[in-house]
Amino acid sequence: MKRKNLDSAPWIWRTISTVSILATLLLLFGFGYAIKDVIFPTGDSTLGTTQPSTTPADEAGKPTAPIEEGKIRMAVIGDSLARGTGDDEGLGFVRRAGNLLKEQGYDVQVLNNLGVNGLRTDALLNKLDEQGVRYVLQQSNFILLSIGANDLFQGGQVLQGEDPPTAEQLAAALPETSKRLQEILKKVKEINPDAQIAYIGLYNPFGDVKELELPGNTVVAAWNDAALTILNQEDKMMLVPTFDLFENHLGEYLSSDHFHPNGAGYEEIATRIAQEYQAETAAEGGTN
């Protein structure tokens, strides 16, 4: 009887070893799947539960299948306005625009918010080379972009100086900044040539500050004109104007930092985005 038990021992240990190996492989598979979700996020599921219908990027770095017609897959990239800073509800203009389009009957999903507080045009150019950022943009067919305010207004710090800047001083950043904006739009277009790209125009957050009203209005108007000229050079690009929304309503639409919109301000921008999207797609004869 003892001999029989000893003979069966190797089989018992082999079985245990096999089970251990299988468990290890299963653990490694689960870890790899979790890492994939971190590097390639599937996006915000609060606007629709349908996952992006594109497949992972191929070797050329472009989606291998189009997004199903009639579906809007949104992503936003850029600065703190893209992030939604100042919105007491934490929605920002992208989630609010998505909700408005859903109310109009669109199938909408916000894939990801790639906004970064304080981001400037030079940093955004570098960010567009990141694999995860490129993947999100490739999976989108409606890309929102907000950038430039930190370059022109130093993130609102122009209020901190003893002597307010003149229009000429503010405009000094225009040539290089507008050149980088053109490079940014070109790069986004290369990443996803089929997406509708909407650039959010600037407003003057200091229009109610006597010393900064005229200089701010002047540089913002020049910037928006330069942006429109760049956007008109490509198809599937549009400007979403915001200057007129805030011009006479700064106390109503700005947050306490006197630079970013509050919830009501973001709602106004979102409404304009939804209107511009519908007008653009109607002109093209359908949704993307």
Side-chain angles (χ1 to χ4, degrees):
M1 181 64 68
K2 184 183 294 186
R3 176 65 179 175
K4 184 176 180 179
N5 289 339
L6 289 174
D7 288 342
S8 64
W11 293 101
I12 294 173
W13 287 112
R14 288 174 190 171
T15 302
I16 293 173
S17 298
T18 301
V19 172
S20 298
I21 292 171
L22 290 174
T24 301
L25 291 174
L26 183 61
L27 180 63
L28 290 174
F29 175 80
F31 179 75
Y33 189 82
I35 288 296
K36 178 184 77 66
D37 281 346
V38 173
I39 298 176
F40 303 119
T42 56
D44 187 345
S45 61
T46 58
L47 289 174
T49 56
T50 306
Q51 296 299 319
S53 57
T54 49
T55 57
D58 60 15
E59 293 180 359
K62 297 179 181 179
T64 57
I67 297 172
E68 185 177 340
E69 186 176 355
K71 296 177 182 281
I72 302 177
R73 297 297 175 257
M74 301 172 67
V76 60
I77 189 167
D79 53 24
S80 51
L81 260 73
R83 191 69 189 166
T85 300
D87 188 344
D88 50 359
E89 295 183 37
L91 297 175
F93 60 68
V94 63
R95 296 271 297 280
R96 291 176 181 273
N99 287 333
L100 290 171
L101 289 168
K102 278 197 72 176
E103 291 173 4
Q104 296 298 319
Y106 291 91
D107 180 342
V108 183
Q109 184 183 19
V110 176
L111 300 183
N112 213 321
N113 187 320
L114 302 171
V116 177
N117 289 338
L119 200 69
R120 300 192 181 196
T121 50
D122 52 351
L124 180 54
L125 272 172
N126 294 328
K127 193 171 185 63
L128 288 172
D129 291 328
E130 296 177 10
Q131 184 180 10
V133 169
R134 295 175 69 88
Y135 181 83
V136 171
L137 297 182
Q138 287 164 359
Q139 306 310 302
S140 309
N141 61 358
F142 188 24
I143 299 171
L144 303 174
L145 169 66
S146 173
I147 199 71
N150 292 315
D151 297 77
L152 300 183
F153 292 120
Q154 296 88 52
Q157 294 179 8
V158 294
L159 282 176
Q160 306 303 319
E162 294 183 4
D163 297 320
T166 64
E168 291 76 15
Q169 290 172 327
L170 289 176
L174 277 174
E176 287 300 317
T177 304
S178 59
K179 181 180 178 181
R180 285 194 293 270
L181 175 63
Q182 186 168 23
E183 293 172 1
I184 288 166
L185 290 166
K186 180 180 178 181
K187 187 174 285 191
V188 173
K189 186 79 171 178
E190 290 172 351
I191 293 171
N192 190 336
D194 299 321
Q196 178 72 51
I197 300 169
Y199 174 72
I200 312 302
L202 298 189
Y203 58 86
N204 178 15
F206 310 119
D208 57 354
V209 178
K210 183 179 179 180
E211 295 82 4
L212 289 174
E213 179 181 6
L214 181 59
N217 287 348
T218 301
V219 73
V220 166
W223 171 262
N224 287 334
D225 285 344
L228 183 59
T229 299
I230 295 169
L231 293 162
N232 284 341
Q233 295 173 4
E234 300 283 349
D235 61 344
K236 289 185 175 293
M237 289 191 185
M238 63 181 181
L239 175 71
V240 178
T242 65
F243 181 87
D244 61 309
L245 299 176
F246 287 81
E247 184 177 13
N248 298 313
H249 302 281
L250 292 175
E252 192 177 345
Y253 293 151
L254 284 185
S255 65
S256 58
D257 65 10
H258 207 282
F259 189 70
H260 299 96
N262 57 20
Y266 279 113
E267 188 70 19
E268 290 295 317
I269 297 174
T271 300
R272 181 64 59 81
I273 290 170
Q275 291 170 342
E276 294 290 336
Y277 178 85
Q278 290 175 300
E280 188 73 17
T281 54
E284 294 176 359
T287 56
N288 289 342

